[in-house]
Amino acid sequence: MDADTRLVNIEEKIAHLEQYLGELDGVVREMNDRMDGYQAELTKMRELVESQNASSDDEPGDDGPSDQRLEDERPPHW
């Protein structure tokens, strides 16, 4: 194999690697965007649970003792 053929092969491999790296970068960016969305959703859910816990602590009702927290409640199928 002569030097020109080797150089062409190396250039082809580099071109393929650059293309693959670009695709991989796109996937990583998409996953990062999804993770940011999941983090925002989790934050909202935590705030909702905390506000429900706070309101259930303030107002005792027919659902049980006022000191019971949402985390301690049994799911309806139990």
Side-chain angles (χ1 to χ4, degrees), residues 20-78:
Y20 180 72
L21 184 60
E23 293 170 3
L24 186 59
D25 182 59
V27 169
V28 170
R29 288 176 188 261
E30 180 183 341
M31 297 306 276
N32 187 47
D33 292 343
R34 285 186 185 181
M35 294 274 296
D36 289 345
Y38 294 149
Q39 184 65 42
E41 189 174 337
L42 177 62
T43 301
K44 288 179 184 178
M45 287 181 178
R46 282 184 176 162
E47 290 171 356
L48 178 63
V49 168
E50 289 173 3
S51 69
Q52 288 179 349
N53 281 338
S55 67
S56 69
D57 288 344
D58 293 342
E59 301 176 10
D62 296 336
D63 296 329
S66 63
D67 60 344
Q68 185 176 13
R69 298 176 51 89
L70 285 178
E71 297 92 13
D72 300 331
E73 288 185 18
R74 296 174 96 175
H77 62 278
W78 282 27

